[in-house]
Amino acid sequence: MLLFVLGVFAYQTWQAASALFAARGKAVQVERLIRAGDFDAATRELHRLRDDTHRAASATDGLLWDLGRHLPVVGADVGAVQTAASALDTVTRENAPVALRLSRAVDEGRLRPRNGRIDLRAVRELTPTVQRAAASIQGQAARLDALDLDAVTFPFEQVIRELAGEVGRAEDAATASATAFELLPRMLGAEEPRSYLLLIQNNAETRSTGGIPGSVAILHAHRGRLRMGFQGSARDISPLDGPVGRMSPSALAVYGETMLTDARDATFNPDFPEVARVVAAMLEQRRGTRVDGVVSVDPIALSFLLGGTGPVELEQSGRPVSLNQGNVVPVLLNLTYQLLPDPASQDDFFESAARAIFDTVMAGRGRSARTITGLATGTAEHRVLLWSRRPDEQRRIAGTAVSGELPADPEDPHPHVGFYLNDATAGKPEYYLDYQPSVRAVRCRPEGRQDLEASIALSSSMPRDVSGLSPFITGTGQFAPKGTIAVNLRIYGPVGGSVTRLTVDGESISVTSDRHEDRQVAAVPLSLRPGERVVVRAQLTTGPGQSAGPVLSFTPGVQSQPNGVQLGSACTDAH
């Protein structure tokens, strides 16, 4: 009898796993069709996806399966497949239609700005549905996270792990959407007028949070209408005679007190909420303007937006210029410094470009779905950052991709590793810098600690002959030879952990022991000549109880790549 029962379970488990395999492929297809705006085809594919998940859930439902979870040999597989099938069926039934409805509403223009105003009534109408969907998917993601996949055999372990990853990414998107829908009316002045400081960070002169603050502006929001007021540069709000605002003593010890007097240095600190508080204080002291929050973007994020709006037209030195998704980054981060002779004319052009792109977005031009997708991509790459002066709003922002906060929670089971870069040339050479960071967990230790290996490969595409490049790009040669990309790399270990070994191109170097909050910071000065490549490797240990997958964050550069990605754990993924 036991063999017969085991055979039934094996067959039904195989049926469920096959249905889950099929469902995963259809889920990818549904997402692709939604992104393409083909909602009729997406609806048809969603029905087929629903059939697969229902088939998997039905095959694993019932008292016999509930008892089967406790059987020897196959019990772990039975329980994991049953939970995965049920969770995915719930997600498909309750969340996928919401995503489809929301995407259709965006494509139909219900959330499209019109005459500079976003329809807050449409936002409020969709908010309860979005919040219910987020709560549902959070519950199903928690069920999948609680599974002990170490006890599950191949191929079920692989299928469920992949599905859990998909559900986890969907959970992040749903949570972010719910937070945005909840906060958007208030932050756009539904209850009272609001104002925000807009920073555009320049990645060609890299800073920890992205780049030196170049262009700044004041955004005014009232009842969904968003307009741009004062525009200027960081020089219009700093430097100041004395420090303003506050940053943690450990941040000041690592990066210096000029962060409190010069907005151009404030972004040395990788903790954006601290940066935002300081630049807001600088604005208030210099111009007497108190803002409700700070928003930051960079030219790469602007290029994503232009992918939805289409090109914008403006003038440069009396000549017409068309900015589009393909050229806005090289124009703003490189060509402007080649073609315009002085900082004042450069600032004027940056201000004109920022206003033109802002006006185009707020006019609702182009395809709203692509514009919002571009905004989401910029957010996932940590290029779109937001801080609110209101404590209740900031608590909701904290922990999301737009917060830009430096993780410092000792109770977080995910060890966080950071690679942060700051220019050391006083030029704009990092337009030519490419870097690829990575981290992996290699060993699980007692007390829930892990050993990690992290690396970052940096390469310079600077022309070998730099005689034709502007000193605005190369620097004057005072701090580094012209053509050399000089940066200070700081490697952040996990909270309560340590950086135990460092190598540069295979050669060991000493490990510094600065601390920012409860995280060790190892400093590595680097210089890359034209065409040179450098690889920095670090061995790290995590703090106690950090047995979950590590998270890697880094300075967003000119190249597009995901940021803040969670990777596999050596403790939960070991076999």
Side-chain angles (χ1 to χ4, degrees), residues 264-288:
R264 293 169 294 185
D265 290 348
T267 49
F268 281 144
N269 185 351
D271 192 346
F272 182 73
E274 288 199 333
V275 171
R277 284 194 295 268
V278 165
V279 293
M282 291 177 179
L283 174 73
E284 186 172 2
Q285 178 160 319
R286 174 62 66 87
R287 300 191 62 85

Side-chain angles (χ1 to χ4, degrees), residues 216 230 233-242 244 260-264 278-290:
V216 302
F230 161 79
S233 72
R235 288 187 293 272
D236 291 307
I237 62 174
S238 67
L240 303 172
D241 294 333
V244 301
L260 300 181
T261 60
D262 196 329
R264 293 169 294 185
V278 165
V279 293
M282 291 177 179
L283 174 73
E284 186 172 2
Q285 178 160 319
R286 174 62 66 87
R287 300 191 62 85
T289 302
R290 182 177 175 84

